[in-house]
């Protein structure tokens, strides 16, 4: 706990708190524009977050239909061959 010291702080809370809940920056330069300090704090905090991975693309209806038909054709062929042999 700090007593008797007044400081400017910037608190950054990430959108997805995976790694940290909040980052607290103590500001030394009182003359810097507030917007610049906030942008820099957000940039630093975001550099510690893991990069988002691209989610796997969901299969569309046509590829699902093609996979179903291919599987049905394969099973049908195997069944016909075993029925003819036995």
């Amino acid at each position: 706990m700090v007593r008797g010291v007044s400081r400017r702080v910037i608190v950054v809370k990430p959108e997805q708190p995976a790694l940290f809940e909040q980052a607290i920056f103590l500001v030394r330069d009182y003359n810097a524009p507030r917007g610049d300090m906030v942008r820099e704090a957000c940039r630093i905090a975001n550099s510690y977050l893991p990069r988002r991975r691209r989610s796997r693309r969901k299969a569309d209806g046509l590829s699902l239909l093609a996979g179903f038909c291919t599987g049905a054709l394969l099973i049908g062929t195997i069944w016909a061959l075993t029925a003819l042999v036995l």
Side-chain angles (χ1 to χ4, degrees):
M1 182 169 168
V2 178
R3 290 186 182 188
V5 177
S6 176
R7 293 199 178 241
R8 279 176 70 179
V9 293
I10 297 174
V11 178
V12 178
K13 295 182 180 180
E15 294 174 3
Q16 298 174 352
L19 186 58
F20 59 90
E21 188 173 318
Q22 64 183 2
I24 300 172
F25 294 91
L26 302 175
V27 179
R28 233 184 251 168
D29 185 11
Y30 292 107
N31 297 328
R34 183 172 186 238
D36 291 345
M37 289 188 293
V38 171
R39 271 193 295 278
E40 182 68 11
C42 289
R43 185 191 65 78
I44 292 169
N46 286 332
S47 70
Y48 284 95
L49 292 176
R51 300 287 180 231
R52 292 183 184 173
R53 295 182 182 173
R54 291 185 179 180
S55 60
R56 292 185 180 178
R57 189 182 70 144
K58 292 183 179 177
D60 56 347
L62 186 59
S63 63
L64 286 175
L65 180 63
F68 177 77
C69 291
T70 303
L73 183 64
L74 181 65
I75 294 297
T77 304
I78 292 172
W79 177 80
L81 289 174
T82 56
L84 290 174
V85 172
L86 296 177

